[in-house]
Amino acid sequence: MDPIFQVLRTVPPLAWLPISLAAFKDSQPSAIFVIFITSVWPVLINTAVGVQQVPQDYKNVARVLQLSKIEYFFSVLFPAIVPYVFTGLRIGVGLSWLAIVAAEMLIGGVGIGFFIWDSWNSSLISEIILALLYVGLVGLLLDKLVAFLGSLVLPPEQKS
Amino acid sequence: MLKFLEIDHLDKVFNLPNGGQYIALKNINLTINPGEFISLIGHSGCGKSTLLNLIAGLDRPSAGGVILEGKAINCPGPDRMVVFQNYSLLPWLTVRQNIALGVNRVLRHLPKGERRGIVESHIDLVRLRHAAHRRPAQLSGGMKQRVAIARALAIRPKVLLLDEPFGALDALTRGGLQEQLMQICQEHQVTCVMVTHDVDEALLLSDRVVMLTNGPAARIGQVLEVPIPRPRDRHSVLNHPAYYSLRNEMLYFLEQQKRSKKHKRTPVTTSANLEKVNLELGFIALSDSAPLLMAKEKGLFAKHGLDVNLNREPSWRAIAEGVAEGRLDAAPMVAGMPLALSLAPEPVPICTALTLSRNGNAITIGKQLYAQGLRSASNIKQFTENHPDQVPTFGVVHPASMQNLLLRHWLANSGTDPDQDVSILTIPPAQMVSNLKAGNIAGYCAGDPWNSRAVHEDLGVILATSLDLWSGHPEKVLGVHEDWAAQYPKTHVALVKALLEACAYCDDPRNRPEVAEILSRHLGTDLSYTRWGLVDAYDRGDGQEPEFLPRFFQFYTDQANCPDPAEHLWMLTQMARWGITPFPRNWVEVVDRLCQFEVFRQANAELNFPEQQRDRRAIRLFDELTFSPDDPLAYLHSLEIKRPIQINEALTTRE
């Protein structure tokens, strides 16, 4: 894996917030950027792994049939990496949900993150607990949703 | 004629991660005819799949190449479609889509409707209509393989390559699929190359079975023709009279290979440190001892770190005993001697890594008999019929020598039985002329200078030379005890290097006068005798102009030095023919063990000499009979004059 990826990947989501605020000068696009930059790495890395893991047998078939680059991409490469992409997406969606909650706490004004922080400032511990449960359940639902989408796209034998 | 598919001197070397090299395949030669079904068989790891990948173009050969219809193969292509061992179907495509993928790509010049027709007809061909819409995961192993075959056939390849196609299937499915494949191949005249390790499968499907020896450096060990007529079905194949003998032959080959796997050769290393420096070598006073003498005179032994003492031996018997007892480290031997010693009742295993010379023999007959009309082999037959009281005696230098084998073959070819019509005596070469002079023998077959000397002293006439009998026949080989070779591998390589360099020196015409001079000094003969054939024109003494024979001695040119299993096999048949040794049933193993290719290859490579390799091919002598290294027994049985032939199993595995 490229070291540039390794460096960028390990930067914590919230560390991106100041620089995106400086760049976008607005809280809404900054929050979206933070979500994007957090969730893009697992998708990228898994896709790269998927490309590396295309079985030699499939490559040999493509070589013997002399498939063109475009045909190879659509007939062999893309279908072969779809499961890896979905694995990346599931991790990415979880991470982005983490980033949203944290970003909302800092930016303030809207969202479940702000709600938790506001409850803390108002000493409403029970509401915090309720919100945490809510955050956890939504995270689970998001994960299941992506898994479901994956199962719609992937043929049964390729499900991981 | 243009060959359809030709595998030409193909080598495959893999570079290992530790910097070493692994020679997977060495000198593979094979010609495949259109419509032929070839099976490659051999033990695991012998390189059969590698060979298939090379034909497919998925891998590049290190040397040599594969030629399909006159075009070299250097990349994969749909004209050589592969049926992979693990099917390699794309799991996200249905059966129909999998077949269509190739068709749409390869046959894209055809209209869409026609392509669809091809796909559908191939689905029917493998009887998968009911499963055409299913994905591979929903199919059984046999069905998947049928899809793979249909996918391969649908693009109309010139050659179908199958890599253990039925290896992963249960016996019942396999049987059914084999028959289907056979039918399809018969109907469509597809040329197939199949890798398998199933002997019955190979017999059922193939026209020829190519058996590979064990790696590293796997070669074609034997090619078996399957003469069972087509169309075949399992029943007719099983009931064919040749079936069991063919099957046994294949099993026997594999068994031999298994045994020789156990018999591990000591690996050759490249270090300059020799295990043994002081060597005692024996030689016989003959012109073709030149490489040995020149290596000594020109300091080639010293150059390669050896301190060699040359011992002039009185006879070939003394050489054999010397090497067997260990008194001599190595010696040039008459070509059949290593095998004769290895197969003797008390075997002395001898191996050889170098052929020192080729040709150099002649058949000489006494002047008096020549005057009486003994001028050819057929004259001898007439002579013995007219003079039943006289039995002409011929001298040869050793029973296992090429001289004996060639003389007998020459006599027998014209109907003279060399044991009944004439008698043959073993006489050391240096005593031939005096025996001829004394009238003890009518003639002899020996190496020069002893033929030239008889001519020169007006005692005899030369009836035939090596060039008339078998041009380029092996004459002297470097014989060492197998234990010695195992104990001193580096010394062995150094010795081969020194002698190989000397062989090259001796074959250079510029050096020949010097070689003749040194020979005459060592042999104690007149210089003009040793120059004869080596430098000067060769006088047969029959009144004709002396003829210049540049190849009368062949020390290096024409890949003279690499051990050649086929030639040794010919000698095996001849020695069995005359009752000198029994014929070993495990001849592949016996000959394989004799020829130490690795030592030769290493020595040749370290000298930076151009690579030498002998083609595995049929041998033809003057009599136009073809000796095929694949079927020595058929050759042996086809010879008319022979002694009762004993066939046994040579014991080759020792602990």
Side-chain angles (χ1 to χ4, degrees), chain B residues 362 364 393-398 403-404 407 423-427 432 441-446:
Chain B
T364 300
T393 305
F394 286 88
V396 294
V397 298
H398 189 270
Q403 287 96 339
N404 185 27
L407 177 69
S423 78
I424 290 180
L425 276 183
T426 302
I427 298 169
M432 287 292 182
I441 49 176
Y444 55 83
C445 182

PDB file of all heavy atoms in Angstrom, chain B residues 362 364 393-398 403-404 407 423-427 432 441-446:
ATOM      1  N   ALA B 362      37.565 -48.343 -38.397  1.00  0.00           N
ATOM      2  CA  ALA B 362      37.496 -48.891 -39.747  1.00  0.00           C
ATOM      3  C   ALA B 362      37.569 -50.414 -39.664  1.00  0.00           C
ATOM      4  O   ALA B 362      38.036 -50.968 -38.661  1.00  0.00           O
ATOM      5  CB  ALA B 362      38.619 -48.359 -40.610  1.00  0.00           C
ATOM      6  N   THR B 364      39.305 -53.489 -41.298  1.00  0.00           N
ATOM      7  CA  THR B 364      40.463 -53.808 -42.139  1.00  0.00           C
ATOM      8  C   THR B 364      40.458 -55.308 -42.408  1.00  0.00           C
ATOM      9  O   THR B 364      40.153 -56.105 -41.507  1.00  0.00           O
ATOM     10  CB  THR B 364      41.759 -53.418 -41.415  1.00  0.00           C
ATOM     11  OG1 THR B 364      41.720 -52.024 -41.162  1.00  0.00           O
ATOM     12  CG2 THR B 364      42.988 -53.752 -42.245  1.00  0.00           C
ATOM     13  N   THR B 393      38.527 -65.353 -38.923  1.00  0.00           N
ATOM     14  CA  THR B 393      38.492 -64.797 -37.576  1.00  0.00           C
ATOM     15  C   THR B 393      38.714 -63.293 -37.657  1.00  0.00           C
ATOM     16  O   THR B 393      39.594 -62.835 -38.386  1.00  0.00           O
ATOM     17  CB  THR B 393      39.601 -65.434 -36.723  1.00  0.00           C
ATOM     18  OG1 THR B 393      39.436 -66.838 -36.782  1.00  0.00           O
ATOM     19  CG2 THR B 393      39.527 -64.961 -35.287  1.00  0.00           C
ATOM     20  N   PHE B 394      37.890 -62.587 -36.930  1.00  0.00           N
ATOM     21  CA  PHE B 394      38.046 -61.129 -36.897  1.00  0.00           C
ATOM     22  C   PHE B 394      38.414 -60.696 -35.488  1.00  0.00           C
ATOM     23  O   PHE B 394      37.994 -61.299 -34.508  1.00  0.00           O
ATOM     24  CB  PHE B 394      36.750 -60.427 -37.321  1.00  0.00           C
ATOM     25  CG  PHE B 394      36.503 -60.513 -38.799  1.00  0.00           C
ATOM     26  CD1 PHE B 394      35.816 -61.595 -39.336  1.00  0.00           C
ATOM     27  CD2 PHE B 394      36.973 -59.516 -39.642  1.00  0.00           C
ATOM     28  CE1 PHE B 394      35.606 -61.677 -40.695  1.00  0.00           C
ATOM     29  CE2 PHE B 394      36.757 -59.606 -41.000  1.00  0.00           C
ATOM     30  CZ  PHE B 394      36.078 -60.675 -41.536  1.00  0.00           C
ATOM     31  N   GLY B 395      39.209 -59.657 -35.428  1.00  0.00           N
ATOM     32  CA  GLY B 395      39.607 -59.111 -34.133  1.00  0.00           C
ATOM     33  C   GLY B 395      38.810 -57.856 -33.817  1.00  0.00           C
ATOM     34  O   GLY B 395      38.558 -57.029 -34.693  1.00  0.00           O
ATOM     35  N   VAL B 396      38.361 -57.770 -32.578  1.00  0.00           N
ATOM     36  CA  VAL B 396      37.766 -56.516 -32.094  1.00  0.00           C
ATOM     37  C   VAL B 396      38.450 -56.208 -30.767  1.00  0.00           C
ATOM     38  O   VAL B 396      39.070 -57.078 -30.162  1.00  0.00           O
ATOM     39  CB  VAL B 396      36.237 -56.611 -31.899  1.00  0.00           C
ATOM     40  CG1 VAL B 396      35.542 -56.813 -33.217  1.00  0.00           C
ATOM     41  CG2 VAL B 396      35.879 -57.699 -30.915  1.00  0.00           C
ATOM     42  N   VAL B 397      38.278 -54.964 -30.309  1.00  0.00           N
ATOM     43  CA  VAL B 397      39.088 -54.560 -29.164  1.00  0.00           C
ATOM     44  C   VAL B 397      38.419 -54.893 -27.828  1.00  0.00           C
ATOM     45  O   VAL B 397      39.089 -55.087 -26.828  1.00  0.00           O
ATOM     46  CB  VAL B 397      39.434 -53.069 -29.228  1.00  0.00           C
ATOM     47  CG1 VAL B 397      40.249 -52.777 -30.472  1.00  0.00           C
ATOM     48  CG2 VAL B 397      38.167 -52.227 -29.213  1.00  0.00           C
ATOM     49  N   HIS B 398      37.104 -54.948 -27.816  1.00  0.00           N
ATOM     50  CA  HIS B 398      36.393 -55.257 -26.573  1.00  0.00           C
ATOM     51  C   HIS B 398      34.975 -55.651 -26.951  1.00  0.00           C
ATOM     52  O   HIS B 398      34.413 -55.095 -27.891  1.00  0.00           O
ATOM     53  CB  HIS B 398      36.379 -54.034 -25.645  1.00  0.00           C
ATOM     54  CG  HIS B 398      35.853 -54.344 -24.267  1.00  0.00           C
ATOM     55  ND1 HIS B 398      34.533 -54.249 -23.939  1.00  0.00           N
ATOM     56  CD2 HIS B 398      36.491 -54.763 -23.143  1.00  0.00           C
ATOM     57  CE1 HIS B 398      34.364 -54.599 -22.673  1.00  0.00           C
ATOM     58  NE2 HIS B 398      35.543 -54.910 -22.162  1.00  0.00           N
ATOM     59  N   GLN B 403      33.352 -51.026 -32.052  1.00  0.00           N
ATOM     60  CA  GLN B 403      33.947 -51.817 -33.135  1.00  0.00           C
ATOM     61  C   GLN B 403      33.254 -53.174 -33.233  1.00  0.00           C
ATOM     62  O   GLN B 403      32.876 -53.623 -34.313  1.00  0.00           O
ATOM     63  CB  GLN B 403      35.444 -52.039 -32.895  1.00  0.00           C
ATOM     64  CG  GLN B 403      36.288 -50.812 -33.118  1.00  0.00           C
ATOM     65  CD  GLN B 403      36.568 -50.068 -31.816  1.00  0.00           C
ATOM     66  OE1 GLN B 403      35.838 -50.243 -30.839  1.00  0.00           O
ATOM     67  NE2 GLN B 403      37.578 -49.246 -31.803  1.00  0.00           N
ATOM     68  N   ASN B 404      33.087 -53.818 -32.095  1.00  0.00           N
ATOM     69  CA  ASN B 404      32.427 -55.123 -32.084  1.00  0.00           C
ATOM     70  C   ASN B 404      30.984 -54.995 -32.574  1.00  0.00           C
ATOM     71  O   ASN B 404      30.530 -55.751 -33.434  1.00  0.00           O
ATOM     72  CB  ASN B 404      32.472 -55.706 -30.666  1.00  0.00           C
ATOM     73  CG  ASN B 404      31.912 -57.117 -30.603  1.00  0.00           C
ATOM     74  OD1 ASN B 404      31.945 -57.842 -31.587  1.00  0.00           O
ATOM     75  ND2 ASN B 404      31.402 -57.494 -29.451  1.00  0.00           N
ATOM     76  N   LEU B 407      30.916 -54.058 -36.315  1.00  0.00           N
ATOM     77  CA  LEU B 407      31.373 -55.158 -37.164  1.00  0.00           C
ATOM     78  C   LEU B 407      30.297 -56.241 -37.247  1.00  0.00           C
ATOM     79  O   LEU B 407      29.971 -56.741 -38.329  1.00  0.00           O
ATOM     80  CB  LEU B 407      32.672 -55.753 -36.602  1.00  0.00           C
ATOM     81  CG  LEU B 407      33.222 -56.961 -37.355  1.00  0.00           C
ATOM     82  CD1 LEU B 407      33.724 -56.543 -38.735  1.00  0.00           C
ATOM     83  CD2 LEU B 407      34.352 -57.643 -36.581  1.00  0.00           C
ATOM     84  N   SER B 423      34.378 -66.143 -36.730  1.00  0.00           N
ATOM     85  CA  SER B 423      34.557 -66.036 -35.283  1.00  0.00           C
ATOM     86  C   SER B 423      35.193 -64.696 -34.972  1.00  0.00           C
ATOM     87  O   SER B 423      35.899 -64.111 -35.795  1.00  0.00           O
ATOM     88  CB  SER B 423      35.385 -67.195 -34.746  1.00  0.00           C
ATOM     89  OG  SER B 423      36.735 -66.976 -35.017  1.00  0.00           O
ATOM     90  N   ILE B 424      34.869 -64.210 -33.790  1.00  0.00           N
ATOM     91  CA  ILE B 424      35.334 -62.880 -33.411  1.00  0.00           C
ATOM     92  C   ILE B 424      36.118 -62.991 -32.110  1.00  0.00           C
ATOM     93  O   ILE B 424      35.644 -63.591 -31.138  1.00  0.00           O
ATOM     94  CB  ILE B 424      34.130 -61.911 -33.277  1.00  0.00           C
ATOM     95  CG1 ILE B 424      33.561 -61.654 -34.681  1.00  0.00           C
ATOM     96  CG2 ILE B 424      34.542 -60.612 -32.624  1.00  0.00           C
ATOM     97  CD1 ILE B 424      32.381 -60.739 -34.729  1.00  0.00           C
ATOM     98  N   LEU B 425      37.326 -62.447 -32.129  1.00  0.00           N
ATOM     99  CA  LEU B 425      38.236 -62.529 -30.985  1.00  0.00           C
ATOM    100  C   LEU B 425      38.460 -61.147 -30.405  1.00  0.00           C
ATOM    101  O   LEU B 425      38.463 -60.166 -31.139  1.00  0.00           O
ATOM    102  CB  LEU B 425      39.598 -63.051 -31.446  1.00  0.00           C
ATOM    103  CG  LEU B 425      39.854 -64.537 -31.579  1.00  0.00           C
ATOM    104  CD1 LEU B 425      41.315 -64.743 -31.984  1.00  0.00           C
ATOM    105  CD2 LEU B 425      39.577 -65.249 -30.269  1.00  0.00           C
ATOM    106  N   THR B 426      38.678 -61.111 -29.110  1.00  0.00           N
ATOM    107  CA  THR B 426      39.014 -59.830 -28.503  1.00  0.00           C
ATOM    108  C   THR B 426      40.530 -59.708 -28.407  1.00  0.00           C
ATOM    109  O   THR B 426      41.198 -60.553 -27.814  1.00  0.00           O
ATOM    110  CB  THR B 426      38.397 -59.725 -27.106  1.00  0.00           C
ATOM    111  OG1 THR B 426      36.995 -59.877 -27.234  1.00  0.00           O
ATOM    112  CG2 THR B 426      38.720 -58.402 -26.454  1.00  0.00           C
ATOM    113  N   ILE B 427      41.064 -58.666 -29.013  1.00  0.00           N
ATOM    114  CA  ILE B 427      42.510 -58.447 -29.060  1.00  0.00           C
ATOM    115  C   ILE B 427      42.752 -56.965 -28.767  1.00  0.00           C
ATOM    116  O   ILE B 427      42.033 -56.120 -29.323  1.00  0.00           O
ATOM    117  CB  ILE B 427      43.070 -58.792 -30.461  1.00  0.00           C
ATOM    118  CG1 ILE B 427      42.828 -60.273 -30.785  1.00  0.00           C
ATOM    119  CG2 ILE B 427      44.551 -58.452 -30.553  1.00  0.00           C
ATOM    120  CD1 ILE B 427      43.113 -60.628 -32.226  1.00  0.00           C
ATOM    121  N   MET B 432      46.685 -55.648 -32.977  1.00  0.00           N
ATOM    122  CA  MET B 432      45.930 -56.043 -34.159  1.00  0.00           C
ATOM    123  C   MET B 432      46.851 -56.290 -35.354  1.00  0.00           C
ATOM    124  O   MET B 432      46.750 -57.314 -36.033  1.00  0.00           O
ATOM    125  CB  MET B 432      44.930 -54.949 -34.525  1.00  0.00           C
ATOM    126  CG  MET B 432      43.753 -54.851 -33.592  1.00  0.00           C
ATOM    127  SD  MET B 432      42.691 -56.294 -33.712  1.00  0.00           S
ATOM    128  CE  MET B 432      41.407 -55.840 -32.561  1.00  0.00           C
ATOM    129  N   ILE B 441      44.451 -63.631 -37.533  1.00  0.00           N
ATOM    130  CA  ILE B 441      43.113 -63.106 -37.830  1.00  0.00           C
ATOM    131  C   ILE B 441      43.038 -62.734 -39.300  1.00  0.00           C
ATOM    132  O   ILE B 441      44.055 -62.409 -39.931  1.00  0.00           O
ATOM    133  CB  ILE B 441      42.760 -61.880 -36.955  1.00  0.00           C
ATOM    134  CG1 ILE B 441      43.895 -60.836 -36.979  1.00  0.00           C
ATOM    135  CG2 ILE B 441      42.469 -62.298 -35.523  1.00  0.00           C
ATOM    136  CD1 ILE B 441      43.570 -59.565 -36.228  1.00  0.00           C
ATOM    137  N   ALA B 442      41.801 -62.792 -39.801  1.00  0.00           N
ATOM    138  CA  ALA B 442      41.587 -62.448 -41.210  1.00  0.00           C
ATOM    139  C   ALA B 442      41.452 -60.946 -41.371  1.00  0.00           C
ATOM    140  O   ALA B 442      41.763 -60.404 -42.429  1.00  0.00           O
ATOM    141  CB  ALA B 442      40.323 -63.136 -41.712  1.00  0.00           C
ATOM    142  N   GLY B 443      40.974 -60.323 -40.327  1.00  0.00           N
ATOM    143  CA  GLY B 443      40.777 -58.883 -40.387  1.00  0.00           C
ATOM    144  C   GLY B 443      40.362 -58.395 -39.021  1.00  0.00           C
ATOM    145  O   GLY B 443      40.255 -59.176 -38.082  1.00  0.00           O
ATOM    146  N   TYR B 444      40.117 -57.101 -38.918  1.00  0.00           N
ATOM    147  CA  TYR B 444      39.697 -56.583 -37.615  1.00  0.00           C
ATOM    148  C   TYR B 444      38.943 -55.284 -37.790  1.00  0.00           C
ATOM    149  O   TYR B 444      38.973 -54.648 -38.850  1.00  0.00           O
ATOM    150  CB  TYR B 444      40.897 -56.390 -36.679  1.00  0.00           C
ATOM    151  CG  TYR B 444      42.009 -55.521 -37.208  1.00  0.00           C
ATOM    152  CD1 TYR B 444      41.929 -54.131 -37.092  1.00  0.00           C
ATOM    153  CD2 TYR B 444      43.137 -56.080 -37.796  1.00  0.00           C
ATOM    154  CE1 TYR B 444      42.949 -53.329 -37.558  1.00  0.00           C
ATOM    155  CE2 TYR B 444      44.163 -55.286 -38.270  1.00  0.00           C
ATOM    156  CZ  TYR B 444      44.064 -53.894 -38.153  1.00  0.00           C
ATOM    157  OH  TYR B 444      45.071 -53.103 -38.618  1.00  0.00           O
ATOM    158  N   CYS B 445      38.281 -54.937 -36.730  1.00  0.00           N
ATOM    159  CA  CYS B 445      37.661 -53.626 -36.674  1.00  0.00           C
ATOM    160  C   CYS B 445      38.248 -52.935 -35.466  1.00  0.00           C
ATOM    161  O   CYS B 445      38.101 -53.401 -34.342  1.00  0.00           O
ATOM    162  CB  CYS B 445      36.144 -53.733 -36.535  1.00  0.00           C
ATOM    163  SG  CYS B 445      35.328 -52.134 -36.516  1.00  0.00           S
ATOM    164  N   ALA B 446      38.984 -51.852 -35.710  1.00  0.00           N
ATOM    165  CA  ALA B 446      39.647 -51.156 -34.614  1.00  0.00           C
ATOM    166  C   ALA B 446      39.727 -49.687 -34.945  1.00  0.00           C
ATOM    167  O   ALA B 446      39.389 -49.252 -36.053  1.00  0.00           O
ATOM    168  CB  ALA B 446      41.047 -51.723 -34.399  1.00  0.00           C
TER     169      ALA B 446
END
